[in-house]
Amino acid sequence: MSITSRPPLYDDLDYLGAASGYVEEVYAVISKGPLFEHFSLKEIEALCQYMHCFAASRDRVLLNEGVEGDYLLIVLSGRVSVRKLNPKGEVVAITTVGPGMSLGEMSLIDGERRFASCVTVEPTDFAVMTRADLNEILLTHPRLANKLLIKLMQVLVSRLRETGNLLLSNYLNPVL
């Protein structure tokens, strides 16, 4: 049973139900990813009460660059391509992520426009956690919410460091 109602998202996708109905499956997948690797089954079970699962076919846009958002996705199965428009207006694939990986963390935190687009490259199941869900977790499970927020910051800082190193490498060794 989910504590929160289905978010008003992805009306065009198959709604699989509350993540609380898939706790063991969700745990098996996301406990291997960087965001949830140090979470216990009991902690994932508590988080699943605030998440909802969806299924998308291949070539479905899950997040659109430039569109406002306030939720993150956790890939449960399948693969998702992360794509960004370059200064010339061309779409460039940044990376592809699979099960256990999260997407949309920045918008969950700041509610700003999406940094990149995320498109399924094969049929994909995913869970959604909204900012409203995160706020409920903060109220009802403050220790768990604190752990989640610290892990979110660690994931975001790691990505920022990788990007900074890449930019510095390209700056110091320009391609001519």
Side-chain angles (χ1 to χ4, degrees):
M1 179 76 182
S2 177
I3 291 174
T4 60
S5 59
R6 175 187 174 173
L9 304 167
Y10 303 113
D11 290 333
D12 58 331
L13 299 182
D14 291 333
Y15 177 63
L16 301 176
S20 56
Y22 304 96
V23 173
E24 304 239 348
E25 296 92 337
V26 169
Y27 177 74
V29 172
I30 70 174
S31 63
K32 295 178 179 92
L35 185 57
F36 297 103
E37 65 185 341
H38 298 293
F39 284 70
S40 68
L41 176 59
K42 187 174 180 175
E43 290 170 323
I44 297 298
E45 182 177 15
L47 290 173
C48 281
Q49 294 176 358
Y50 299 90
M51 296 189 295
H52 295 267
C53 299
F54 295 86
S57 59
R58 182 179 180 186
D59 295 324
R60 298 302 300 259
V61 177
L62 301 181
L63 302 174
N64 264 313
E65 181 178 352
V67 174
E68 289 182 12
D70 67 349
Y71 58 94
L72 70 75
L73 308 178
I74 302 161
V75 179
L76 302 173
S77 69
R79 292 184 308 130
V80 178
S81 174
V82 180
R83 303 171 182 178
K84 179 92 178 128
L85 286 174
N86 70 15
K88 295 178 183 177
E90 302 163 329
V91 176
V92 178
I94 298 172
T95 191
T96 300
V97 301
M101 299 301 290
S102 57
L103 301 162
E105 302 91 348
M106 290 189 302
S107 292
L108 173 72
I109 299 299
D110 67 10
E112 295 293 323
R113 297 180 185 280
R114 300 289 183 185
F115 176 76
S117 292
C118 299
V119 180
T120 59
V121 293
E122 60 188 46
T124 300
D125 293 345
F126 61 96
V128 172
M129 179 185 291
T130 67
R131 185 182 299 140
D133 296 331
L134 180 58
N135 287 334
E136 284 297 315
I137 296 167
L138 280 162
L139 292 171
T140 57
H141 303 281
R143 285 180 180 257
L144 180 59
N146 184 55
K147 184 175 182 177
L148 177 59
L149 288 171
I150 288 171
K151 288 302 294 177
L152 275 168
M153 285 189 291
Q154 289 172 342
V155 166
L156 291 170
V157 166
S158 174
R159 289 182 188 165
L160 182 59
R161 286 183 192 278
E162 288 174 24
T163 301
N165 288 333
L166 182 61
L167 288 172
L168 185 58
S169 173
N170 288 338
Y171 177 75
L172 294 175
N173 303 305
V175 178
L176 302 175

